[in-house]
Amino acid sequence: MIAARPREGGHPGAVSAHFLHSVDGSRVLLCTEWTSAEAHQEAAEAGDHDEGHELFSGTPGVRLTHGGRFRLYRTLR
């Protein structure tokens, strides 16, 4: 994945990406952060995810879930 990342910093709306793996190493979750839902949609429509998607979908044992969007419901002070 590191070799496949964009050299120019990627889409301007991308903030970060985190790979989280289970303690036993059997599962990995990719969590990405965007400045807005619109920025993520623009990146998808521009094909900015295509190379990463090809890499994941071609890796043995990987099951794509096609994600979901987390929306902050409430915060505490």
Side-chain angles (χ1 to χ4, degrees), residues 42-57:
E42 288 172 11
E45 290 171 0
D48 291 348
H49 300 318
D50 292 351
E51 188 173 351
H53 179 77
E54 288 297 320
L55 182 61
F56 282 131
S57 62

Side-chain angles (χ1 to χ4, degrees), residues 10-67:
H11 192 275
V15 176
S16 66
H18 307 278
F19 289 91
L20 309 169
H21 62 86
S22 62
V23 174
D24 66 1
S26 65
R27 296 179 182 257
V28 176
L29 172 69
L30 169 59
C31 178
T32 58
E33 296 178 86
W34 294 84
T35 55
S36 67
E38 293 78 20
H40 180 234
Q41 185 63 36
E42 288 172 11
E45 290 171 0
D48 291 348
H49 300 318
D50 292 351
E51 188 173 351
H53 179 77
E54 288 297 320
L55 182 61
F56 282 131
S57 62
T59 301
V62 171
R63 182 187 67 182
L64 299 175
T65 62
H66 302 288

